[in-house]
């Protein structure tokens, strides 16, 4: 038997007394590295769960402060990435300029799936870097999420890509979806303080405007019923 | 209501609420930076690790000091900014996976100092540059007997494993397996040894287990 996955070892250690674990236990009995792993896991299982008033009291404020610091550093990273792309624009312009005309059907708005396929097609496999905001010289994925519970009917998520070969006049397309992944058809998306009209889940912003307004971190969605839900740069892994 | 009671009730409420959530739901909340989910990680993964006697004594020996909030901030950034949370494979409860991760990170932080400490074998310190020897022994008969014992009585077998291989004390085994007393742990162990001897004798006589 091969050494088990560490998570399987955790599951085993939490509730070990079953016949189905006979082979696994036999393996542990003869495998030094699994014995060491099990020793560590048993230590963490035996840790006391008691917390004191001091442990709990200020934790909420502290969590908010840390999250804000982390978000500030994300915005800073995004600014640096966009500046880097901007500074390399002249070099990119010598190559074939990127245009969304290539991926959007003539005279209409692409379906979400078409659009995402199109964006993905414009980037190499290395280009989809699945990060909140990261420049890898190919494409940059950026996400924003609503500051509300995911179960809320007003929850929103915005995704955009700075494609490779973007030009100064290039237009960035932002895709807005709700908590079920459906496009938010109407409303206003405020990105970096600029109000963008939503048209079947799509908002557009020029790369120049995006770059020039990155100091303004105001992001929100105004729904047709007047509800405004603010959001922020998403720190999590982004999957297209 | 005393303030102490107030905080305790709030804490108990949070923990019992999260016990009902699936791992998938908790992970989604963590990716979204949900305050309650991250408070749950703080209370159930960070605080217990820092209160463990092992980490405490390493820190005392090394004269290291790291606050629970520093550890929480480190975990928050590693999980989200460095995307370590994507390494979680949903095969065990996420809170124990997180606790295991925090335990490893804090140990790593403490061991950046190369000098060995009293509770830690020299082998595990950075001063020992020699790689551990990779040896393999044949335990097939012992393994066969142990697997048979496990199929017959998993409790006895696990107590045997924890005593012999893990060198765990009766007190810890009692706590881990919810056994009523240390004496009962010892009884399980003695009977496990008798069973193992019986299985070994059978094997030596060429009988099937």
């Amino acid at each position: 038997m091969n050494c088990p996955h560490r998570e399987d070892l955790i599951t085993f250690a939490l509730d070990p007394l079953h016949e189905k674990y006979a082979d696994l236990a036999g393996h542990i009995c003869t495998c030094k590295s699994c014995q060491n792993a099990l020793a560590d896991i048993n230590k963490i299982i035996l840790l006391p769960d008691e917390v004191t008033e001091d442990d709990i009291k200020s934790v909420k404020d502290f969590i908010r402060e840390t999250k804000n610091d982390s978000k500030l550093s994300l915005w800073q990273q995004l600014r640096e990435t966009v500046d880097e792309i901007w500074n390399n624009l002249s070099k990119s312009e010598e190559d074939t300029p990127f245009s969304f005309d290539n991926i959007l059907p003539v005279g209409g708005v692409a379906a979400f799936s078409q659009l995402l396929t199109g964006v993905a097609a414009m980037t190499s496999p290395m280009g989809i870097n699945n990060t909140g905001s990261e420049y890898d010289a190919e494409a940059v994925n950026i996400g924003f999420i609503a500051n509300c519970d995911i179960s809320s009917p007003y929850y929103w998520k915005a995704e955009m890509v700075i494609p490779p070969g973007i030009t100064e006049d290039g237009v960035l397309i932002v895709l807005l979806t709700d908590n079920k992944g459906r496009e938010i058809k109407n409303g206003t998306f405020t990105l970096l303080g600029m109000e963008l009209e939503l048209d079947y889940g799509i908002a557009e912003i020029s790369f120049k405007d995006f770059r020039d307004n990155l100091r303004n971190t105001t992001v929100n969605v105004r729904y047709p019923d007047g509800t405004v839900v603010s959001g922020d740069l998403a720190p999590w892994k982004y999957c297209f | 209501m005393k303030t102490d009671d107030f905080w305790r009730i709030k804490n108990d409420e949070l923990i019992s609420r999260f016990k009902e959530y699936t791992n998938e739901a908790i992970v989604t909340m963590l990716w979204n930076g949900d305050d309650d989910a991250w408070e749950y990680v703080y209370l159930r993964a960070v605080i217990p690790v820092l209160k463990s006697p092992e980490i405490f004594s390493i820190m005392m020996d090394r004269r290291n000091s790291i606050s629970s909030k520093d550890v929480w901030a480190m975990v928050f950034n590693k999980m989200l900014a460095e995307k370590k949370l994507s390494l979680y494979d949903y095969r065990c409860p996420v809170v124990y996976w997180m606790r295991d991760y925090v335990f490893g990170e804090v140990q790593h932080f403490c061991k950046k100092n190369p000098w060995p400490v009293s509770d830690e074998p020299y082998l595990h310190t950075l001063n020992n540059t020699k790689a551990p020897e990779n040896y393999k022994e044949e335990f097939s008969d012992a393994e066969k007997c142990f697997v048979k014992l496990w199929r017959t009585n998993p409790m006895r077998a696990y107590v045997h494993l924890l005593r012999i291989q893990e060198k765990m004390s009766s007190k810890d085994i009692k706590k881990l397996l919810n056994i009523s007393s240390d004496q009962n742990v010892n009884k399980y162990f003695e009977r496990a040894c008798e069973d193992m001897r019986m299985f070994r004798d059978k094997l030596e006589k060429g009988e099937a287990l």
Side-chain angles (χ1 to χ4, degrees), chain A residues 22 41 85-86 119 128 176 186 193 227:
Chain A
I41 290 165
I85 297 172
W86 188 263
V119 171
I128 298 291
L176 276 104
N186 301 306
T227 308

Side-chain angles (χ1 to χ4, degrees), chain B:
Chain B
M1 192 190 293
K2 281 193 279 181
T3 51
D4 193 31
D5 292 340
F6 174 74
W7 292 111
R8 197 163 300 284
I9 289 166
K10 277 197 74 176
N11 173 48
D12 292 349
E13 273 173 6
L14 182 83
I15 288 173
S16 55
R17 184 153 55 89
F18 272 79
K19 273 183 182 164
E20 287 173 15
Y21 291 163
T22 61
N23 290 321
E24 286 79 2
I26 297 173
V27 170
T28 304
M29 292 167 88
L30 292 172
W31 279 124
N32 287 339
D34 180 271
D35 285 358
D36 285 350
W38 280 102
E39 186 177 343
Y40 181 64
V41 166
Y42 177 79
L43 296 173
R44 294 300 307 278
V46 175
I47 295 282
V49 167
L50 287 180
K51 286 190 176 173
S52 76
E54 181 176 339
I55 295 293
F56 183 76
S57 68
I58 292 177
M59 284 194 181
M60 291 298 283
D61 273 5
R62 291 271 164 86
R63 295 188 185 87
N64 280 332
S65 146
I66 185 168
S67 76
S68 55
K69 288 178 179 173
D70 288 341
V71 173
W72 182 88
M74 179 270 293
V75 172
F76 182 80
N77 281 311
K78 289 244 177 200
M79 289 292 154
L80 295 188
E82 293 181 26
K83 320 273 183 303
K84 298 283 184 200
L85 187 54
S86 59
L87 298 175
Y88 173 59
D89 216 12
Y90 299 90
R91 287 164 177 236
C92 68
V94 65
V95 69
Y96 283 97
W97 178 82
M98 198 69 90
R99 201 183 264 197
D100 190 37
Y101 181 84
V102 174
F103 194 73
E105 281 295 313
V106 176
Q107 275 187 322
H108 179 71
F109 166 81
C110 293
K111 287 175 185 175
K112 278 180 184 169
N113 181 332
W115 302 106
V117 288
S118 53
D119 66 324
E120 172 184 32
Y122 180 67
L123 176 71
H124 294 155
T125 67
L126 298 182
N127 267 357
N128 185 3
T129 51
K130 191 181 161 194
E133 283 177 40
N134 224 351
Y135 66 94
K136 196 175 178 180
E137 285 181 38
E138 275 301 320
F139 285 104
S140 59
D141 279 359
E143 189 177 347
K144 272 184 207 165
C145 293
F146 183 76
V147 170
K148 174 68 181 167
L149 175 61
W150 191 285
R151 292 194 200 282
T152 317
N153 191 325
M155 177 68 101
R156 281 186 201 171
Y158 198 43
V159 170
H160 188 273
L161 179 95
L162 294 174
R163 260 289 172 76
I164 301 286
Q165 262 80 28
E166 304 286 325
K167 312 275 186 290
M168 208 181 245
S169 68
S170 295
K171 198 179 151 195
D172 284 344
I173 296 173
K174 182 185 101 176
K175 201 175 156 193
L176 189 70
L177 298 177
N178 284 324
I179 298 173
S180 55
S181 67
D182 291 3
Q183 285 79 9
N184 281 347
V185 174
N186 294 337
K187 273 182 199 163
Y188 279 119
F189 179 65
E190 282 161 21
R191 283 172 190 164
C193 292
E194 283 168 21
D195 290 344
M196 287 290 278
R197 272 195 293 273
M198 182 182 75
F199 294 140
R200 189 196 58 197
D201 292 346
K202 272 190 172 182
L203 274 183
E204 281 176 358
K205 286 175 193 165
E207 294 173 20
L209 285 179

Side-chain angles (χ1 to χ4, degrees), chain A residues 127 162 187:
Chain A
I162 303 178

Side-chain angles (χ1 to χ4, degrees), chain A residues 86 89 93 97-104 115 119 122 140 142 159-175 191 196-197 202-211:
Chain A
W86 188 263
L89 276 181
E93 279 168 4
F98 172 82
S99 165
F100 267 103
D101 294 344
N102 297 337
I103 56 167
L104 285 171
L115 194 55
V119 171
M122 292 302 295
V140 177
I142 303 165
E159 299 161 284
M160 61 191 287
V161 177
I162 303 178
I166 182 83
T167 63
E168 201 176 308
D169 307 326
V171 173
L172 301 173
I173 294 193
V174 192
L175 311 170
L191 178 60
L196 312 170
E197 284 305 312
I202 293 178
E204 294 183 359
I205 183 171
S206 75
F207 182 47
K208 186 174 186 309
D209 285 344
F210 184 75
R211 188 250 179 188

